[in-house]
Amino acid sequence: MKRIWLVWLLMLVGATTQATERFLLQANPGQYQALTQVLQHHGVKPALALPAHEAAAVYLTPADVAALRGHPALRWLETDVKRYPMSLPQQAPYGIGLVQADVAHLGSNFDSASGNLLVCIIDSGYDLTHEDLPSATVQGVSDPGGAGDWFVDDLHHGTHVAGTLAALDNSVGVLGILPGGQVGLGIVKVFDGDGWAYSSSLIAALDACRQLQAGRRLVVNMSLGGILSSRTEDRAFADAYKAGVLLVAAAGNDGSSRKSYPASYASVISVAALDEAKQIASFSQHNSAVELAAPGVGVLSSVPVGTALLGELNQGGHLYKALPMEGSPLASRTGSLVDCGQATTPCLAAGQADGGQGGLCLIARGSISFADKVLNCQAGGGRGAIIYNNVDGDLNGTLAGVVTQIPSVGIRQLDGLSLLAVVGQSAQLAVTQGDYAYYDGTSMATPHVAGVAALIWSRHLGCSNAEIRTALGSSALDLGDLGRDSFFGYGLVQAKAADDLLSADCGAGAGGDGGSGGSGGGKGRNKP
């Protein structure tokens, strides 16, 4: 016994210069104090003592480990393995692949020349402190009329747009169309928290973008609009287009055929919104000015730090896409799943679950408001509400100002049906704060097109703005009616197809110079 101790002590002293690693030591019953006293006497201090478990975490060298394995008080020794937050790693939102703006389509370093471009975002500002957004290549112009500093985004809108355009490839958050951190960003703030500005402010913002241009190619993103046109505004955009600026704007979210401006000016590319299945969004405006379509439903991107509500739903290790109900309190709950039907009355079964501790209400959409469903879950004793859709697609709901005490989320119909099959089993539900959020709108589709335009232009700097515009239309994936139509325009914008088209000649696929009604592309011949 003494020989074992002596060998161990000599090895311990001789190993002080060796690299250490963290281990968990489990003592034999009743031997915890004996083991820790020896460690302490010879300078090995526990990193974390766990006396209730007769265990301790310590840093040991390889020699320590070899000697300690023979210790009579030691039951076992194992690596103190690491645990990580169960947050999602960096991901590419579905729209990046859908518009072919990724490594799989364009190869590595595909945006390495984007420093020759300035993408100017006329919007509500930009969170300069966000971990996933560039800072070194960003310039901004504040609104002297009252919207405030460009690096503050009270509306959250501009930061979301910027993330789709340029979120960094940095292992966190999301990826943008131009993720290399090279592209210049110009931020011109026109909106404050109230979310509106005058036509004159938009004209001044366009002028500010041109002042920031500094000899670079300029793409202007305008995820904004209104139903009335302005002759002065029209002329300003026409002049900028003639001067070589490429202009991109949102078609509008009325779900009607009414035109929106500046998108419907002839000098501007009007962008409609579609979903992950390439179906037109129900809210997307449709008219003769629509030129291109891009992802605009459930788009994940950056928002000002700490301003997003994030939903998390885990059942049996499977993570479901859960969108928090607008107005949901922040909370984390674990409980058995309980089928509450449509929860048109208090769900008493939820309160009886888990020995009266309360389960998680699984609720079908329909009949009554989301807020009433959540209140009926709460009244029955439920600890959290999971509302599943009654149609395909995400469920992005609101409590409409009704105060509730339990977390609530919306999920897809298929996910709800899947969870119905495991009612009675445990699940984890949480609504937390975060830096990323899912938004809907032609506002979200617009930066996909502006980003692709900038990306392709950076790879073909000899092309004019009109030639880039033409190529985007000619190479678009034709959806809906054959050829250009009022819903999709020429179709879904495609970076790889446009790049291939322009690799031969900037004039390849030319189909006009912009013309009336925003025509700027060919026939959209890339029919699936």
Side-chain angles (χ1 to χ4, degrees):
M1 179 72 69
K2 291 182 179 179
R3 180 179 177 83
I4 293 175
W5 273 100
L6 180 61
V7 170
W8 181 76
L9 291 175
L10 289 173
M11 294 182 71
L12 184 63
V13 172
T16 56
T17 60
Q18 298 183 43
T20 60
E21 186 177 345
R22 183 158 163 152
F23 291 87
L24 264 174
L25 308 183
Q26 177 67 55
N28 277 312
Q31 296 297 307
Y32 174 73
Q33 290 297 329
L35 183 60
T36 56
Q37 286 174 4
V38 172
L39 293 174
Q40 292 170 5
H41 179 72
H42 294 284
V44 180
K45 296 181 179 179
L48 180 63
L50 301 168
H53 304 275
E54 294 192 298
V58 296
Y59 288 97
L60 301 174
T61 67
D64 296 337
V65 173
L68 193 56
R69 288 191 188 280
H71 194 290
L74 182 67
R75 188 174 186 182
W76 67 68
L77 176 152
E78 61 184 345
T79 300
D80 195 0
V81 294
K82 296 179 179 179
R83 298 289 183 256
Y84 301 91
M86 288 299 182
S87 57
L88 293 176
Q90 177 176 275
Q91 59 183 297
Y94 77 90
I96 305 301
L98 215 59
V99 301
Q100 301 182 322
D102 55 13
V103 171
H105 290 97
L106 294 169
S108 60
N109 301 316
F110 58 87
D111 66 337
S112 59
S114 61
N116 295 300
L117 269 293
L118 177 72
V119 179
C120 196
I121 304 171
I122 301 176
D123 215 293
S124 61
Y126 182 92
D127 185 353
L128 200 58
T129 69
H130 200 288
E131 63 179 355
D132 211 13
L133 295 179
S135 57
T137 60
V138 183
Q139 299 169 277
V141 176
S142 300
D143 178 21
D149 294 325
W150 66 268
F151 47 83
V152 176
D153 183 5
D154 299 318
L155 195 61
H156 309 168
H157 192 268
T159 301
H160 196 278
V161 167
T164 295
L165 278 161
L168 298 168
D169 185 4
N170 59 355
S171 79
V172 299
V174 297
L175 282 172
I177 301 287
L178 299 149
Q182 302 297 315
V183 66
L185 292 181
I187 310 299
V188 182
K189 184 168 183 172
V190 294
F191 299 131
D192 58 15
D194 293 331
W196 63 272
Y198 289 105
S199 175
S200 57
S201 298
L202 184 55
I203 295 170
L206 176 62
D207 292 341
C209 288
R210 297 181 68 180
Q211 291 169 6
L212 294 173
Q213 186 174 357
R216 293 169 288 185
R217 303 294 193 187
L218 175 60
V219 178
V220 178
N221 186 98
M222 295 171 287
S223 293
L224 51 85
I227 60 173
L228 300 178
S229 64
S230 161
R231 286 183 294 177
T232 306
E233 190 179 67
D234 189 4
R235 181 177 179 180
F237 283 109
D239 289 345
Y241 186 64
K242 290 176 183 176
V245 180
L246 191 58
L247 306 159
V248 188
N253 300 329
D254 284 349
S256 69
S257 60
R258 184 163 50 185
K259 289 185 176 180
S260 180
Y261 300 90
S264 295
Y265 297 136
S267 58
V268 181
I269 298 174
S270 177
V271 183
L274 47 74
D275 63 17
E276 193 169 356
K278 302 177 187 175
Q279 300 297 309
I280 200 69
S282 60
F283 55 77
S284 188
Q285 278 167 245
H286 45 92
N287 50 56
S288 62
V290 171
E291 191 166 335
L292 290 168
V297 177
V299 175
L300 180 63
S301 187
S302 51
V303 292
V305 174
T307 63
L309 280 182
L310 298 180
E312 299 176 12
L313 177 59
N314 185 326
Q315 198 288 312
H318 181 81
L319 294 176
Y320 292 86
K321 183 179 180 181
L323 302 181
M325 290 284 157
E326 182 181 349
S328 170
L330 303 176
S332 179
R333 299 287 185 266
T334 297
S336 299
L337 292 169
V338 178
D339 182 3
C340 294
Q342 291 190 337
T344 54
T345 59
C347 187
L348 300 179
Q352 297 165 1
D354 298 333
Q357 295 298 310
L360 301 179
C361 301
L362 190 57
I363 304 171
R365 181 180 186 177
S367 299
I368 60 175
S369 71
F370 298 134
D372 287 338
K373 291 177 183 291
V374 175
L375 288 174
N376 281 333
C377 172
Q378 182 179 306
R383 307 188 70 224
I386 305 165
I387 304 174
Y388 59 93
N389 215 342
N390 54 7
V391 294
D392 290 339
D394 296 330
L395 178 52
N396 195 356
T398 177
L399 300 180
V402 176
V403 177
T404 62
Q405 304 301 317
I406 60 174
S408 55
V409 298
I411 63 174
R412 296 176 176 179
Q413 183 180 37
L414 288 178
D415 289 340
L417 297 177
S418 174
L419 291 173
L420 281 174
V422 292
V423 161
Q425 296 186 24
S426 181
Q428 296 80 45
L429 169 66
V431 175
T432 60
Q433 288 180 313
D435 307 335
Y436 304 86
Y438 292 93
Y439 282 6
D440 297 340
T442 54
S443 281
M444 286 54 258
T446 303
H448 284 89
V449 172
V452 167
L455 173 60
I456 298 308
W457 210 353
S458 74
R459 295 165 66 93
H460 302 278
L461 290 170
C463 299
S464 69
N465 61 332
E467 288 169 329
I468 294 296
R469 182 179 184 179
T470 294
L472 294 177
S474 296
S475 60
L477 180 64
D478 194 355
L479 301 170
D481 295 338
L482 185 64
R484 184 172 184 174
D485 63 64
S486 62
F487 287 90
F488 297 94
Y490 292 109
L492 172 62
V493 67
Q494 300 283 272
K496 176 64 164 59
D499 188 52
D500 289 345
L501 185 63
L502 291 172
S503 292
D505 181 9
C506 275
D513 61 358
S516 63
S519 175
K523 295 182 178 180
R525 60 172 178 260
N526 193 17
K527 187 74 178 178

